Amino acid sequence: MVLEAHLQQAVLLKKVVDAMKDLCKEVNFDCSEKGLQVQSMDSSHVALVALLLRESAFSDFKCDRAASLGMNVESLGKIFKMCGPSDSLKLRWQNDADTVSFQCESGEDDRIADFDLKLMQIESEHMEIPEQQYKVLARLPSSEFMKICRDLKEFGETMQIQASKEGIRFSVQGDIGTGNVMLKPRESEKPEEKVTLTVHESVTATFALRYLVTFSKAAPLCSSVELGLGPDSPLSVKYELENADNGFMQFYLAPKIDE
């Protein structure tokens, strides 16, 4: 075996695949002793998704040598439909095999579903994502981010995000008028209800809203989301995979530059 991984909660990987499937059709899962990584751009090269599922997220993880496994994201989604909400998952890939095997097992009713997925050769250029020093970092409930994106997409196609010490404002201008949602920093006992802002300088930037709606669908991964903003730099939308130890899923979106 080159790769053998056991995930106690198959649903974690299911959520990851659901969050990717509207952006990428095919991705390479890069396996190493650190865990599984994905880096993929959407077809229009406007958005990028980066995933790190750390080996510590698995109850058991063995990868003898680095390998890149190309998979169809829609097919992965179909496989995870076979998994129940509390199933565990075993992933296996043997040296140079042209399939990777998925086995979903439910503890209580002794049901095992398995599927061998054909691997694909996917050309992918590995982009070095520069370590951004964001001028603004905002942490907010992911459910709220999702609602803002969905509500505002009814009014227009472009969202302007303005962040300052006072708060973060999402606004859309469309044919029928202008809509704004302003979130001010707020404290809460529950981390998933807090809004925190770290502002080194105020930033205003505009982005294509349909991508933000897609990114916001990753909300089931984590109760909060972190937005990173800088002048003329891509927006970062980052979700921890339930917690930081498991890894993260991060989306990047190029800003719309006014012609």
Side-chain angles (χ1 to χ4, degrees), residues 3-22:
L3 172 69
E4 195 159 355
H6 188 206
L7 196 59
Q8 216 50 59
Q9 295 290 329
V11 68
L12 180 61
L13 204 47
K14 178 185 195 309
K15 288 175 187 170
V16 163
V17 169
D18 285 345
M20 273 195 297
K21 68 172 189 274
D22 290 348

Side-chain angles (χ1 to χ4, degrees), residues 205-216:
T206 29
F207 302 96
L209 189 45
R210 67 186 181 94
Y211 286 102
L212 296 175
V213 170
T214 303
F215 299 170
S216 74

Side-chain angles (χ1 to χ4, degrees), residues 49-68:
V49 55
L51 166 76
L52 171 61
L53 187 55
R54 292 199 173 94
E55 54 89 27
S56 53
F58 296 87
S59 52
D60 201 14
F61 188 88
K62 200 162 101 263
C63 181
D64 303 338
R65 64 178 174 85
S68 195

Side-chain angles (χ1 to χ4, degrees), residues 19-233:
M20 273 195 297
K21 68 172 189 274
D22 290 348
L23 276 181
C24 318
K25 298 281 168 269
E26 298 162 352
V27 297
N28 279 319
F29 280 84
D30 297 320
C31 317
S32 68
E33 72 278 2
K34 289 197 189 108
L36 299 180
Q37 275 180 291
V38 169
Q39 210 191 51
S40 179
M41 289 202 94
D42 76 306
S43 54
S44 61
H45 284 248
V46 177
L48 179 123
V49 55
L51 166 76
L52 171 61
L53 187 55
R54 292 199 173 94
E55 54 89 27
S56 53
F58 296 87
S59 52
D60 201 14
F61 188 88
K62 200 162 101 263
C63 181
D64 303 338
R65 64 178 174 85
S68 195
L69 307 178
M71 301 184 212
N72 178 292
V73 181
E74 200 185 329
S75 308
L76 278 174
K78 291 174 180 171
I79 293 173
F80 284 116
K81 282 210 173 85
M82 300 180 8
C83 283
S86 56
D87 285 11
S88 66
L89 173 74
K90 284 195 174 105
L91 272 179
R92 290 196 189 89
W93 180 67
Q94 288 180 355
N95 204 353
D96 300 331
D98 56 3
T99 60
V100 60
S101 90
F102 291 81
Q103 188 179 66
C104 300
E105 189 169 345
S106 72
E108 57 275 0
D109 54 3
D110 299 331
R111 185 180 60 87
I112 297 178
D114 59 70
F115 193 87
D116 289 340
L117 177 69
K118 289 195 171 84
L119 291 173
M120 315 170 70
Q121 287 296 323
I122 300 168
E123 287 301 311
S124 75
E125 62 275 87
H126 207 76
M127 281 98 11
E128 274 312 309
I129 301 169
E131 264 305 311
Q132 292 275 353
Q133 292 303 317
Y134 293 107
K135 296 297 179 198
V136 174
L137 277 179
R139 248 196 129 75
L140 57 148
S142 47
S143 56
E144 207 151 343
F145 178 58
M146 188 171 181
K147 179 168 168 40
I148 289 168
C149 293
R150 287 190 168 168
D151 290 352
L152 291 178
K153 86 168 193 321
E154 301 300 323
F155 303 113
E157 293 175 1
T158 307
M159 176 142 87
Q160 185 184 62
I161 303 179
Q162 283 170 296
S164 65
K165 294 259 196 299
E166 282 69 63
I168 182 164
R169 179 197 293 273
F170 302 90
S171 40
V172 171
Q173 286 183 347
D175 301 337
I176 60 170
T178 309
N180 295 294
V181 179
M182 173 83 169
L183 284 186
K184 292 185 159 65
R186 59 166 184 249
E187 274 306 317
S188 168
E189 289 295 301
K190 296 180 178 164
E192 66 270 16
E193 290 172 6
K194 273 206 307 212
V195 176
T196 56
L197 280 165
T198 312
V199 180
H200 299 296
E201 67 177 70
S202 301
V203 173
T204 301
T206 29
F207 302 96
L209 189 45
R210 67 186 181 94
Y211 286 102
L212 296 175
V213 170
T214 303
F215 299 170
S216 74
K217 287 181 187 165
L221 286 172
C222 189
S223 58
S224 64
V225 58
E226 186 183 79
L227 306 181
L229 285 158
D232 304 324
S233 64

